[in-house]
């Protein structure tokens, strides 16, 4: 969607209202009054309140997708590329923490076509992310004893949980958090992690008869 001052005002007002009183409890009238625009102006850009919720998340997803493509396009080694992608996902998720929080809290209320579009676009992103892990597995960098889908879910579960604990006014900056979470994920992902102790006093083995 083309960004204009009117669009920005409407989305900002919608975000604040959805965050404070919930998507279901917010009316179009409240959004346009808070944005200082007319209903006609809003409907020029958004067909419904549903479109507003989608647009809030679409802005994040589009940004992260463009960053993903740019990082991969650099042609750097796999480990360096995956690390840069992980850091970017976390940093941009923190930059748009309010938007992500509002969306995931209310996503189940989206219309079926919008939910399908979100699912398809997120799957496309995850497929590319998975492809980097698979490339690293072929290069002997990453463990192969855990399904790629589980590894991907492990990383993004940390990203989605940010809204439950991270605060911009807290002791750690987004850069520190991004580096820390990325480091922990990459250590767990490394080929050397396969076969390490998984419970106190127990170990896993990968060899026959080990």
């Amino acid at each position: 969607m083309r960004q204009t001052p009117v669009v920005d005002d409407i989305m900002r007002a919608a975000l604040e209202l959805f965050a404070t009183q919930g998507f279901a409890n917010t009316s179009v009238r409240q959004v346009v009054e808070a944005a200082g625009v007319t209903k006609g102006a809003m409907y020029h850009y958004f067909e419904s309140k549903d479109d507003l919720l989608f647009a809030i998340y679409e802005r994040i997803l589009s940004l992260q997708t463009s960053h993903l493509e740019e990082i991969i396009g650099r042609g750097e080694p796999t480990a360096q590329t995956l690390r840069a992608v992980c850091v970017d996902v976390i940093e941009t998720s923190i930059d748009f923490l309010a938007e992500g929080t509002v969306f995931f809290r209310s996503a189940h209320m989206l219309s079926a076509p919008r939910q399908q579009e979100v699912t398809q676009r997120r799957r496309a992103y995850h497929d590319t992310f998975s492809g980097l892990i698979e490339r690293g597995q072929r290069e002997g960098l990453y463990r192969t004893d855990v399904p790629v889908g589980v590894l991907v879910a492990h990383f993004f579960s940390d990203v989605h949980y940010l809204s439950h604990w991270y605060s911009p006014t807290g002791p750690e900056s987004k850069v520190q958090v991004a580096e820390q979470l990325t480091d922990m994920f990459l250590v767990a992902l490394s080929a050397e992690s396969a076969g390490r102790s998984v419970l106190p006093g127990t170990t896993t083995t990968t060899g026959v008869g080990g």
Side-chain angles (χ1 to χ4, degrees):
M1 172 180 292
R2 184 171 60 90
Q3 295 303 129
T4 68
V6 172
V7 169
D8 288 339
D9 288 343
I10 294 171
M11 290 183 64
R12 188 179 305 112
L15 178 62
E16 292 175 357
L17 288 168
F18 294 166
T20 56
Q21 60 188 40
F23 175 75
N25 295 324
T26 299
S27 67
V28 170
R29 179 182 61 79
Q30 289 174 316
V31 172
V32 297
E33 287 180 355
V37 301
T38 65
K39 278 190 177 182
M42 178 184 147
Y43 285 124
H44 178 73
Y45 296 101
F46 304 96
E47 293 183 1
S48 64
K49 191 174 69 168
D50 191 72
D51 276 355
L52 264 174
L53 180 60
F54 174 79
I56 285 172
Y57 184 62
E58 196 273 339
R59 182 179 288 187
I60 314 170
L61 192 55
S62 292
L63 178 69
Q64 291 179 334
T65 299
S66 67
H67 286 189
L68 174 68
E69 293 170 350
E70 188 275 326
I71 292 169
I72 292 176
R74 297 172 193 167
E76 295 172 337
T78 302
Q80 190 172 340
T81 298
L82 183 60
R83 180 180 180 80
V85 169
C86 289
V87 168
D88 178 74
V89 170
I90 297 167
E91 289 188 347
T92 52
S93 293
I94 289 175
D95 285 337
F96 292 89
L97 197 61
E99 288 86 345
T101 301
V102 163
F103 178 80
F104 286 111
R105 183 191 300 159
S106 310
H108 64 284
M109 289 183 259
L110 279 173
S111 64
R114 283 305 198 190
Q115 288 194 34
Q116 183 177 17
E117 184 174 356
V118 169
T119 298
Q120 290 174 342
R121 292 184 62 177
R122 288 183 64 193
R123 183 178 294 127
Y125 188 101
H126 286 190
D127 286 348
T128 302
F129 189 91
S130 298
L132 289 173
I133 294 178
E134 291 167 350
R135 191 171 85 191
Q137 288 175 329
R138 292 191 295 271
E139 295 172 0
L141 299 173
Y142 306 138
R143 64 192 306 163
T144 58
D145 61 323
V146 177
V148 172
V150 174
L151 296 171
V152 173
H154 167 56
F155 174 73
F156 284 98
S157 65
D158 281 344
V159 175
H160 296 157
Y161 198 67
L162 283 167
S163 63
H164 292 272
W165 66 269
Y166 180 78
S167 172
T169 60
E172 295 179 308
S173 69
K174 72 173 184 181
V175 173
Q176 291 174 311
V177 170
E179 294 286 346
Q180 291 164 353
L181 290 179
T182 295
D183 285 343
M184 287 190 292
F185 172 65
L186 293 179
V187 167
L189 180 65
S190 69
E192 289 78 10
S193 293
R196 288 181 181 171
S197 176
V198 293
L199 289 173
T202 66
T203 58
T204 59
T205 56
T206 56
V208 176

